[in-house]
Amino acid sequence: MPNPLANVTVLDLTHVLAGPFATMTLADLGARVIKVERPRSGDDTRAFPPFKDGKSAYFSALNHSKKSIALDLKAEADRVVFHRLLARADVVVENFRPGVMERLGYGWSDLHAAYPRLIYGAVSGFGHTGPDAKRPAYDMVAQARGGVMSITGEKGRDPVRVGASIGDIIAGMYLTQGVLAALYDREQTGKGRKIDIAMLDSQLAILEHAIAITTATGTPPGRTGARHPSITPFETFHASDGLFVIAAGNDQLFEKLCICLALPINEDPRFATNPARCKNARLLKRLIEAVTLDNTTAFWIAKLGAAGIPTAPIQDVAQVLKDPQILARKMVVDVLDRNGRHAFTAAGNPIKLSGMEDRTTRPPAPDLDGNRGEILHWLDEAEAR
């Protein structure tokens, strides 16, 4: 069975993270992704450390399985090649500041008129409309302005950025969803659509409990560290050798937790319901830790896990990469070099589809302009048919 996007060709004009993350996902689902890069320098992340054998691990983790051609979209000869690519593509994706593609003559209205089936995906800091559309943005700007930083960190301390670049990554995920929806719509209508994704919009879209709390109470939530503001107990706890997580998300789980801890407080009015537990969260944490400090994280994870209570160790990335569950799900993959040997490690494809091979290796990330001959040959053959 072919991969679901095996017949889809994507022109990837993106750089750094949000766009490349989206096109990497499309490549994992089988799409042919042709990375159209600036001559000489290419994607900015080619210069991001750390490096191995002169190649960026960051770039390789996000751009494996793609092909590269370097084109100067202001040069007439390269514009001819780009139009040949556009005529064969299903999707074009860009993450320039709004207005750049229009100045080049490749904005949505231009391309839709010339190639009505072409799907146009754009991701930017603030989107293509609104008073701040043309302002620049990076991940931290989106996290700060989008409200995520205001709820991240310890109470009474300065706001902190989420460690993963979710300003970019969430926008990339929404861009992927938009492309898939547009591909489905084109099957019905025969027409392409424009997808306009803003990093700022994407941050707002993931603020679930924060929006609910703010609109219901009139007061925005602050930083609560590892604790969930609306569910208790749902945070980190100390054992004798470190921290671990307990997430007892309802009254039944809390009762099971009390039994496991030999802590008969589930009928105490201060803890009998989730609202009461939230009100008395600090006291409850002290009572639980008076028990958990007597044994190790491994002991409590095993005991609580056996009782069906959601729990977990707090693993660093090196531990995650060796986690048996992660490995069983093929979520750690080898990015190969030109000789088929391991070069880099990357995250696998979290979208598991029946009938699609879930490989544990990926082709190498392309050298800048490294596939020009192959791409031009493919165009020649396609145009000859």
Side-chain angles (χ1 to χ4, degrees):
M1 184 180 295
N3 289 342
L5 300 184
N7 296 319
V8 173
T9 297
V10 178
L11 299 186
D12 179 6
L13 278 67
T14 67
H15 53 280
V16 187
L17 181 51
F21 185 88
T23 55
M24 177 190 69
T25 304
L26 297 172
D28 277 345
L29 294 172
R32 175 193 287 113
V33 177
I34 298 173
K35 193 169 178 69
V36 179
E37 300 187 73
R38 295 168 299 189
R40 293 174 293 280
S41 58
D43 190 320
D44 293 347
T45 59
R46 289 184 179 275
F48 283 15
F51 298 99
K52 180 181 177 183
D53 298 327
K55 297 182 184 297
S56 166
Y58 189 106
F59 176 84
S60 296
L62 288 165
N63 292 283
H64 58 74
S65 312
K66 303 176 186 179
K67 308 292 185 182
S68 172
I69 186 169
L71 297 176
D72 179 354
L73 297 183
K74 296 180 181 178
E76 187 56 36
D78 283 357
R79 287 171 70 92
V80 170
V81 174
F82 188 53
H83 275 283
R84 293 176 68 192
L85 288 168
L86 288 167
R88 298 293 165 184
D90 298 283
V91 183
V92 62
V93 181
E94 56 94 353
N95 64 346
F96 297 112
R97 204 180 302 184
V100 170
M101 290 291 280
E102 284 75 12
R103 290 195 296 272
L104 291 168
Y106 296 126
W108 161 245
S109 59
D110 301 299
L111 292 184
H112 188 57
Y115 309 102
R117 287 180 55 82
L118 184 67
I119 292 162
Y120 184 108
V123 58
S124 59
F126 301 101
H128 283 200
T129 59
D132 292 333
K134 294 187 178 181
R135 292 187 64 171
Y138 277 100
D139 168 77
M140 192 168 184
V141 172
Q143 288 198 34
R145 186 165 174 181
V148 170
M149 282 182 63
S150 75
I151 57 172
T152 305
E154 296 291 338
K155 184 176 181 179
R157 304 285 295 275
D158 290 343
V160 297
R161 169 186 173 274
V162 176
S165 298
I166 62 169
D168 282 293
I169 291 170
I170 298 298
M173 292 172 68
Y174 282 125
L175 177 58
T176 302
Q177 293 177 34
V179 167
L180 296 177
L183 284 168
Y184 177 80
D185 179 72
R186 194 180 67 178
E187 290 298 306
Q188 323 304 314
T189 67
K191 300 291 186 181
R193 287 183 183 253
K194 178 181 178 180
I195 304 144
D196 174 13
I197 303 295
M199 293 165 63
L200 181 63
D201 296 350
S202 301
Q203 294 299 279
L204 184 69
I206 62 171
L207 286 183
E208 30 91 45
H209 72 270
I211 291 174
I213 290 171
T214 303
T215 55
T217 68
T219 303
R223 291 171 292 285
T224 58
R227 186 173 73 82
H228 195 289
S230 301
I231 309 172
T232 304
F234 205 97
E235 58 180 304
T236 57
F237 294 88
H238 283 90
S240 61
D241 60 348
L243 287 164
F244 71 110
V245 166
I246 298 174
N250 56 45
D251 292 343
Q252 291 75 30
L253 286 171
F254 181 64
E255 183 178 358
K256 287 183 179 181
L257 175 65
C258 290
I259 293 170
C260 277
L261 300 178
L263 190 63
I265 59 173
N266 57 295
E267 294 185 3
D268 185 315
R270 295 171 297 176
F271 312 116
T273 66
N274 183 64
R277 291 193 293 275
C278 288
K279 185 177 179 180
N280 295 287
R282 294 185 67 182
L283 173 59
L284 179 58
K285 183 179 176 73
R286 290 198 297 270
L287 293 173
I288 291 174
E289 288 189 331
V291 178
T292 59
L293 280 166
D294 286 340
N295 224 313
T296 64
T297 56
F299 172 86
W300 290 116
I301 288 167
K303 183 168 185 178
L304 271 58
I309 299 165
T311 183
I314 301 173
Q315 301 189 133
D316 63 28
V317 177
Q319 292 170 316
V320 172
L321 294 175
K322 297 176 182 178
D323 187 307
Q325 178 65 20
I326 293 287
L327 296 175
R329 296 280 294 174
K330 300 182 180 178
M331 282 306 300
V332 179
V333 299
D334 293 328
V335 179
L336 306 178
D337 64 16
R338 300 295 170 192
N339 298 310
R341 297 174 302 206
H342 169 82
F344 298 98
T345 298
N349 179 15
I351 304 171
K352 310 298 184 184
L353 292 177
S354 61
M356 186 177 79
E357 182 183 6
D358 195 11
R359 297 174 293 110
T360 57
T361 62
R362 297 291 187 272
D367 293 333
L368 177 60
D369 205 31
N371 305 103
R372 173 177 286 270
E374 175 188 345
I375 291 168
L376 294 178
H377 179 70
W378 168 71
L379 284 173
D380 289 339
E381 287 192 331
E383 292 164 354
R385 287 197 291 270

